[in-house]
Amino acid sequence: MRLTPAVVLDAASTLLDEAGLDAFSTRKLATRLGVRVGALYWHYPSRQALLDAVAEQIVAEASAAPIPDGDWPEQAGAMIHALRDAMLAHADGARIIVEMDTPGPNAQAYIERLRGLLTAAGMDPATAENAADVLTSYLNGYTIEEQAHKAGQQRATTDRGFEFGLNVVLAGLRTIAAE
């Protein structure tokens, strides 16, 4: 098997899903691929660059989800749900996203799309940026907590809790958008 960035990224994603972020190392990844650690750095200059690429892949999964027609809160909620689902599909997916050092094109496009929805709802650009930050901060915080401490709970239970909080945030943002 020829070592390419795609092969390294796929193997890293698989290892992260199996072992989690705390147990992930480039040494383990190199062993899995049958190469020396230095060979990985030919494709990704650092462990963080590789983790950023995994985060980009997770955001790409979320971005592929369709966004329904409807009002902006429904669309923003769908975007937030899609990213949560993508994070939960990967061990420590929320931490991988939150610890991203350099957002790539997928992450930038995701946040710009969210800001665009909020701006189209009537928020000025600064307010839309703050609103997008509040939405993603809620998403990230809840999902990190969910992956770290609620792993034994039924998904339906955590979904209800998440939905409640998201509705609270969106209700507040509706008020701001109406001003």
Side-chain angles (χ1 to χ4, degrees):
M1 171 175 54
R2 185 171 166 256
L3 199 62
T4 66
V7 167
V8 173
L9 182 58
D10 184 54
S13 295
T14 300
L15 181 57
L16 281 162
D17 283 344
E18 292 170 2
L21 186 56
D22 291 336
F24 177 82
S25 72
T26 53
R27 186 172 313 281
K28 288 178 185 175
L29 179 59
T31 299
R32 175 172 286 204
L33 290 169
V35 299
R36 293 180 184 224
V37 174
L40 301 177
Y41 297 125
W42 181 260
H43 301 288
Y44 294 95
S46 66
R47 176 183 187 270
Q48 187 59 52
L50 179 56
L51 292 173
D52 286 354
V54 172
E56 272 289 289
Q57 193 175 47
I58 293 170
V59 175
E61 292 171 19
S63 296
I67 302 302
D69 292 332
D71 62 354
W72 71 265
E74 182 181 356
Q75 292 177 324
M79 287 183 68
I80 295 298
H81 278 289
L83 188 50
R84 176 173 173 251
D85 289 342
M87 287 186 212
L88 290 175
H90 301 278
D92 296 321
R95 280 184 54 210
I96 292 167
I97 295 288
V98 169
E99 294 176 11
M100 187 183 330
D101 192 41
T102 306
N106 292 325
Q108 291 174 8
Y110 177 90
I111 200 66
E112 285 305 318
R113 185 174 184 189
L114 185 57
R115 285 181 190 142
L117 282 174
L118 298 167
T119 302
M123 295 180 193
D124 63 76
T127 301
E129 184 171 340
N130 288 331
D133 187 50
V134 167
L135 281 165
T136 57
S137 293
Y138 170 70
L139 164 67
N140 294 337
Y142 191 96
T143 310
I144 285 172
E145 180 74 18
E146 184 175 13
Q147 287 188 311
H149 302 292
K150 298 180 182 181
Q153 291 186 12
Q154 293 289 327
R155 173 77 191 255
T157 301
T158 59
D159 284 351
R160 280 191 299 276
F162 180 78
E163 191 67 29
F164 177 83
L166 181 59
N167 286 335
V168 168
V169 172
L170 288 171
L173 293 177
R174 276 189 196 100
T175 301
I176 290 170
E179 293 177 349

